[in-house]
Amino acid sequence: FIKINGSYQYQGSDQSSINIAPGIGAIYGESGDYAFGNIYDGNGTFTVTAPPTNTGTASVTPGSVIDSSAYVADTYTVSFGTNASGKLVYQVTGSKSGQVLPLPPATFPDQAPVYQSGTDIIFNGISINMSGQPKVGDTFQVQPSTPHNMLDVLQNTIDLLQTPVGNKGQFSTAIDQMTASFGQIATHLYSYQSETGTRSAAINTQVATNKTMMTNQTISLSDLENADLPTVYSALSQQSLVLQATQESYLKMQDVLNKLLQLQF
């Protein structure tokens, strides 16, 4: 991995495999990008971010997909306003989906849902929880996760922790997102560990199979090399006599059956 323009890029080779038996391959050279890359940030499906220009104290959890069949991948913006009664309300709009909350034909802000700290904001199959007190003009973005490698996630975390805290709600949201991303890293490593264990088991099984085949072939070769020719000739002669007697019996039985059929008709 080489750091280029602020991000780490993989410069190594791809996976390499070798045949260990007819039609059976094993990986002997791993791709660093496969082992340490292609890890989706946030909760693995979408991320939630807040700009440092927010002035309220609201923060948002990484959220989750509660209905995969209803999920629509889009870049959503959660924004706030006040209704005719002076209550704080929120709306959700998608760059492609348009207004999502309040559900059309309801209008913003007077028909929008009222915000309360700790509320679950649910739309298009996903749920995020917001706490704290946002202000009119604050926004939060919900967008599809993108793949990163572990080094980028670590570097982004270092950069976040070294940056002076401006808006606490924005900082808390960013920390929660980093935590979720590390959860995705752990899931990826556990899965990769299981995969390499399966590979190792397959190799060990094939090694055992190959050893058994070689042992059997060695025994067969030894039997041929150490065979006593008079004994082998005698055994073959006996088997030939048995085969001849069997053939004669079969012919006699066939002759009897033919005569019985002739008598019947």
Side-chain angles (χ1 to χ4, degrees), residues 42-44 46 48 60-66 126-129 176-177 180:
N43 60 29
F46 62 87
V48 185
V60 180
T61 63
S64 61
V65 177
I66 57 176
I126 67 176
S127 175
I128 57 175
N129 182 270
D176 285 346
Q177 288 298 308

Side-chain angles (χ1 to χ4, degrees), residues 111-130:
Q111 295 177 303
V114 176
Y115 172 78
Q116 292 181 337
S117 180
T119 189
D120 290 326
I121 300 177
I122 300 173
F123 59 93
N124 285 3
I126 67 176
S127 175
I128 57 175
N129 182 270
M130 185 176 295

Side-chain angles (χ1 to χ4, degrees), residues 3 6-8 149-162 178 182:
K3 194 173 185 180
S7 64
Y8 288 92
N149 59 65
M150 296 182 193
L151 297 178
D152 275 339
V153 175
L154 289 170
Q155 186 63 58
N156 292 339
T157 304
I158 292 171
D159 294 343
L160 175 64
L161 295 176
Q162 290 180 340
M178 289 296 179
F182 277 104

Side-chain angles (χ1 to χ4, degrees), residues 18-22 24-26 202-203 206-207 210:
I18 189 173
N19 287 334
I20 57 175
I24 300 177
I203 292 173
Q206 191 58 48
V207 168
N210 291 349

